[in-house]
Amino acid sequence: MISFEQALNLVAERLAAASLSPASDVVPLDDARGRVLARDVFADRDHPPFPRSTRDGYAVRAADLRQVPVWLACAGEARAGAPYAGKLGDELGVCVEIMTGAPVPPGADAVVMIEHTRRDGSRVEVLRGVAPGENVVRQGSEAPSGGVVLPRGRRVTPGEMALLASVGAATVEVFRQPTVAILPTGDEVVPIERSPKWFQIRNSNAIALGGQVAAAGGIPYQLGIAPDEVGPLRELIEAGLEHDLLLLSGGVSAGKYDLVEQVLGDLGAEFYFQSVALRPGKPTVFGRVRGKFFFGLPGNPVSTFVTCEVFACPAIAVLGGAAFAWPLLLRARLGQPFRQSHGLTAFMPARVEMQDVDPVVTVVGWQGSGDLVGLAAANCLLVVHPHQTELAAGEWVDVFLGYR
Ligand code: AMP
Ligand code: MG
């Protein structure tokens, strides 16, 4: 059995080797949130476009303030939207009143804060010196005209949207989102609208997977529910292979009615792994058939959720044109001692919250990998590595916040 890291590396390698290049769309900037840039974006002019004051005060020549206090003559005003028309000439001892965000007039090289001055009519007494450049953002210092401000492959969040707006990108070229077919399997699984018989289970996995796919930048496509029968299962899998990725849930364990691998094998699938030292999620399957990648995720709801987060979501991001990114693990203090005797990597539903100054993570009470009440109480996954067989309360441990 391969380790979690080996399995995730296989996902990254196989996707990279397939060198898929998604098509692109041009969308209005307002609609670009969550999408992945299909082209580098350049600065259309210097940013900032002029030396910008970061303070309210007086634009000065720093050299005039070598000895303070000193009296300067105030020659005018510069405010945002209304720059000072002239410049600070060769004449010594002159300043211009300036507001935050306004262009620093030519000839001035620093801004002295208003708090360090006293005004008397057209004269200003400056009480403290400034270094050249102080309280001024140099023209082009954030980005020079023509320079790359955002690389192709970057996902657009509100921060990127602000930058795109500032370089005049009213429309943005982004990669097409991959469509991800979702196929739950199991004779016991029924649509959520139906009232289940006592032995039936509502199809919660498809709903969770749909949300996870969307959060990872994919477009979920619900195929319905496959029974544990070769014929109909095969037909639905074939329909799923029309999409960029196929996610199956259930039917990948060793039971007599676990038919997913058999049917995929009959269709000529190549399997890259069929079990991983992961808890929950050991029977996870990853492979490719008819040019399309698929994941067979174990059907227990927490297993499905975890394996989608750690394997399928990074794959969806890559299929959508983003660079492969290893799950970002952050550290928190463990709330309660934790033991495990096996050599698996565990991703346990847990809750992380600030306590005093540190984040503290506590595993939610759960009844095993079917416990959706436990999963819903969680806001992260506690990551326990194979060598961490005994963890004491207060130890720093890894936490995965997931795709959200
Ligand atoms: P399996 O991996 O097929 O052995 O499924 C394991 C268990 O997960 C089943 O007994 C069901 O209780 C549960 N399960 C399977 N598929 C779903 C689903 N689509 N939604 C909710 N629970 C499911
Ligand atoms: Mg099943």
Side-chain angles (χ1 to χ4, degrees), residues 129-145:
V130 281
E134 207 169 317
N135 300 323
V136 178
V137 184
R138 255 187 319 107
Q139 178 174 338
S141 62
E142 293 161 0
S145 179

Side-chain angles (χ1 to χ4, degrees), residues 185-189 228 249-252 257-258 299:
T185 73
D187 287 338
E188 78 282 24
V189 181
D228 295 317
S249 101
V252 290
Y257 296 99
D258 291 325

Side-chain angles (χ1 to χ4, degrees), residues 49 160-161 213 245 277 284 329 368:
E160 280 82 9
M161 291 174 80
V213 166
L245 179 69
T284 304
L329 303 184

Side-chain angles (χ1 to χ4, degrees), residues 7-21 178-183 223 237-248 264 268-273 285-297 311-312 314-320:
L8 191 53
N9 271 322
L10 274 170
V11 173
E13 282 165 20
R14 290 297 170 173
L15 282 157
S19 51
L20 309 149
S21 188
T179 68
V180 180
I182 295 171
L183 183 58
L223 284 169
I237 287 177
E238 288 188 289
L241 296 175
E242 302 291 317
H243 298 264
D244 297 304
L245 179 69
L246 171 60
L247 299 182
L248 295 121
L264 286 164
E270 228 185 312
F271 292 97
Y272 304 129
F273 58 77
V285 174
F286 171 54
R288 200 175 189 197
V289 62
R290 298 190 181 164
K292 300 295 173 62
F293 290 101
F294 61 81
F295 289 94
L297 310 175
F311 294 128
I316 291 164
V318 172
L319 292 169

